[in-house]
Amino acid sequence: MSATSSPTPEASRPRPTTAGVVIPHQPKWHQRLVAWLVVACIRAVACTLRYRWDDRFGVFRGTPSRPMIFCFWHNRLALCIVPYWHYLGTGNLMPGMAALVSASKDGGFLSGVLERCGVEPVRGSSSRRGARAMLELTTWADRGYSVSITPDGPRGPCYEVQDGVLSLAQLTGLPIVPYSCNLGWKFRLNSWDQFQIPLPFSRCDMLFAQPITVPREATDAEREALRQSLAASLRAITRD
């Protein structure tokens, strides 16, 4: 996709073209280099962690009949790829994973990280390119891909579920799987979500809550009740 007008030097952030289309920032060469280093670090640290998997609802048991929407808090992004790697390692096959990523510059860097991990980044958020991103996610789901979303991203409030994940579940019919990872040793950034960076040899609890399905004919009131239920489920398996 290209803009209807030539880019100018002052175009320092995504902006709408004359057609109202937001062009997401693409990762630059140096961002791709840093992304490669970040993925290498994630793999190295992930290998040292002492995992405890709490999969009481059987998310990883057997071969799934359909894809899922994995839903986790934004400050757990550093280890969001580990369940995907684990899932593939158990012998369960899936076409792949798509993830919703902001259209901002930070999102451009994150998309480079995800690409290195074998995940398809879909650029958009509630404030930028949201409708287009929803359409792209639905297309990936139709191809059999699972989807991952941070319901409180990209700008918060922290631990508050926004409506986008409910809309996607209602459109696709896919179940939402609440997921969280709780670290024993970690470093927290001074950011809006207190982003967590795992420290080597930490204990890491991977927890999956009961999947939530949003009926296609759900009313606004029913969706709101499901949104609150999803938020409560995620908070219940989150320990800071």
Side-chain angles (χ1 to χ4, degrees), residues 47-68:
C47 288
T48 71
L49 300 180
R50 294 172 287 125
Y51 295 101
R52 183 177 71 86
W53 295 84
D54 186 347
D55 184 20
R56 67 190 69 177
F57 297 104
V59 175
F60 292 113
R61 253 178 250 147
T63 303
S65 58
R66 58 177 175 170
M68 297 166 282

Side-chain angles (χ1 to χ4, degrees), residues 2-185:
S2 60
T4 56
S5 58
S6 300
T8 57
E10 71 269 19
S12 58
R13 59 185 176 86
R15 59 193 179 97
T17 66
T18 55
V21 177
V22 173
I23 307 301
H25 282 283
Q26 298 302 314
K28 308 296 185 182
W29 70 266
H30 59 279
Q31 288 180 311
R32 293 187 183 277
L33 175 61
V34 174
W36 183 87
L37 293 173
V38 167
V39 173
C41 289
I42 291 175
R43 287 186 179 274
V45 173
C47 288
T48 71
L49 300 180
R50 294 172 287 125
Y51 295 101
R52 183 177 71 86
W53 295 84
D54 186 347
D55 184 20
R56 67 190 69 177
F57 297 104
V59 175
F60 292 113
R61 253 178 250 147
T63 303
S65 58
R66 58 177 175 170
M68 297 166 282
I69 300 173
F70 289 95
C71 187
F72 53 92
W73 299 126
H74 192 272
N75 61 13
R76 262 72 176 175
L77 268 171
L79 289 179
C80 70
I81 196 63
V82 171
Y84 179 54
W85 287 337
H86 174 79
Y87 191 57
L88 295 179
T90 60
N92 293 304
L93 301 178
M94 67 163 69
M97 175 80 73
L100 183 63
V101 183
S102 168
S104 66
K105 286 184 178 180
D106 289 342
F109 167 70
L110 180 56
S111 68
V113 173
L114 292 174
E115 287 171 354
R116 285 286 177 181
C117 294
V119 176
E120 295 288 345
V122 175
R123 310 296 301 281
S125 65
S126 58
S127 59
R128 296 176 182 172
R129 208 173 177 267
R132 179 65 183 176
M134 189 67 65
L135 177 61
E136 291 180 17
L137 287 172
T138 302
T139 300
W140 283 113
D142 288 342
R143 296 176 183 175
Y145 279 58
S146 286
V147 176
S148 65
I149 290 181
T150 55
D152 59 342
R155 293 181 296 182
C158 186
Y159 297 160
E160 291 290 337
V161 172
Q162 300 173 21
D163 194 55
V165 63
L166 280 300
S167 298
L168 181 63
Q170 188 172 18
L171 282 171
T172 61
L174 301 184
I176 303 172
V177 178
Y179 148 68
S180 187
C181 61
N182 299 322
L183 291 162
W185 302 333

Side-chain angles (χ1 to χ4, degrees), residues 197-208:
I197 299 176
L199 296 179
F201 306 104
S202 172
R203 187 187 68 204
C204 181
D205 293 336
M206 297 286 190
L207 300 100
F208 299 85

Side-chain angles (χ1 to χ4, degrees), residues 71-73 151 161 177-180 209 229-239:
C71 187
F72 53 92
W73 299 126
V161 172
V177 178
Y179 148 68
S180 187
S229 177
L230 175 59
S233 183
L234 278 167
R235 290 173 188 143
I237 58 175
T238 297
R239 184 183 70 251

